[in-house]
Amino acid sequence: KAGVTQTPRYLIKTRGQQVTLSCSPISGHRSVSWYQQTPGQGLQFLFEYFSETQRNKGNFPGRFSGRQFSNSRSEMNVSTLELGDSALYLCASTGEGYSYNEQFFGPGTRLTVL
Amino acid sequence: AQSVTQLGSHVSVSEGALVLLRCNYSSSVPPYLFWYVQYPNQGLQLLLKYTTGATLVKGINGFEAEFKKSETSFHLTKPSAHMSDAAEYFCAVSETGGSYIPTFGRGTSLIVHP
């Protein structure tokens, strides 16, 4: 099976702009989670979508939003970008029947805000 | 609530030496425990996981970890370090029966000297 894919891999934006990141989970996986990774804060959970519904949410401002489509692909959007949003954004998918909660990660999107 | 503490943000070893990366967790219910590895510019890859049963868990690339409930620890070891082991290592915990979203430690950077 193909792994989790994320596009684009690298992105440069300026403050105030908005950005949309995309994630395609492993075929058959219906849960997609998003994380922000920074040197200062480590890995922080943003949100999780399951069957097109947000099932869990981390502690991030409303500028961070996401959605999931019927084919399980997910997008996350960040509006009004701030310098502090520069980070590696990781997407992870989990399959049904995975009672051990294993997540499979994509390579990430490196966002730089200037 | 769950939390993970990884002792030492950086660990330096010589090639061929023992690798020991420490992880302590707190969880109000029996946990699932994971170790992930992240190579530069890549996502996280699962090294090994503890769910139930045998407390000594073997993973990929010669790594293993032992779940010690009395010490709330899940330290990662490898008998002989290789240059290719240089990476960032993350310990994670998720709770059985609840939200399965894992909590990650801050990570430990493993440096391997020739």
Side-chain angles (χ1 to χ4, degrees):
Chain A
K1 281 185 178 178
V4 178
T5 59
Q6 293 187 245
T7 56
R9 292 293 311 276
Y10 302 91
L11 208 48
I12 299 175
K13 292 286 187 179
T14 56
R15 280 179 298 173
Q17 288 186 309
Q18 74 166 17
V19 67
T20 299
L21 312 181
S22 180
C23 171
S24 292
I26 291 173
S27 177
H29 285 191
R30 292 203 288 161
S31 167
V32 173
S33 297
W34 289 90
Y35 294 85
Q36 181 194 66
Q37 185 180 21
T38 59
Q41 299 297 321
L43 268 163
Q44 292 188 286
F45 171 71
L46 280 154
F47 30 65
E48 182 228 359
Y49 285 86
F50 180 82
S51 293
E52 303 179 64
T53 301
Q54 189 180 89
R55 186 161 70 172
N56 289 288
K57 187 178 187 304
N59 189 28
F60 275 81
R63 298 186 298 109
F64 292 82
S65 62
R67 60 176 174 170
Q68 187 179 35
F69 302 94
S70 58
N71 63 358
S72 294
R73 189 178 70 85
S74 177
E75 290 181 345
M76 67 163 281
N77 184 79
V78 187
S79 63
T80 319
L81 284 166
E82 301 176 0
L83 295 178
D85 296 333
S86 294
L88 180 67
Y89 290 88
L90 293 165
C91 160
S93 73
T94 304
E96 285 182 88
Y98 275 89
S99 60
Y100 307 136
N101 310 330
E102 179 179 344
Q103 295 189 311
F104 296 84
F105 284 81
T109 293
R110 172 76 62 185
L111 172 65
T112 302
V113 182
L114 303 176
Chain B
Q2 58 198 26
S3 66
V4 177
T5 301
Q6 289 185 241
L7 295 176
S9 58
H10 295 83
V11 169
S12 182
V13 300
S14 298
E15 192 172 21
L18 171 71
V19 175
L20 170 60
L21 304 183
R22 299 179 187 273
C23 172
N24 287 88
Y25 70 91
S26 93
S27 175
S28 55
V29 298
Y32 293 145
L33 296 160
F34 308 84
W35 274 100
Y36 285 87
V37 61
Q38 185 179 33
Y39 298 102
N41 298 315
Q42 295 187 26
L44 276 68
Q45 177 185 3
L46 183 69
L47 272 178
L48 49 80
K49 61 187 177 189
Y50 167 78
T51 54
T52 58
T55 56
L56 182 62
V57 180
K58 294 187 184 299
I60 62 172
N61 302 339
F63 285 93
E64 62 182 36
E66 186 172 10
F67 169 56
K68 291 187 176 180
K69 184 178 179 181
S70 61
E71 298 177 8
T72 60
S73 69
F74 191 57
H75 302 330
L76 181 71
T77 61
K78 182 175 180 177
S80 177
H82 191 272
M83 295 295 289
S84 61
D85 294 327
E88 190 85 12
Y89 291 80
F90 293 91
C91 181
V93 60
S94 69
E95 294 185 342
T96 58
S99 166
Y100 76 91
I101 301 300
T103 297
F104 287 85
R106 294 296 297 269
T108 297
S109 179
L110 177 64
I111 301 160
V112 182
H113 296 286

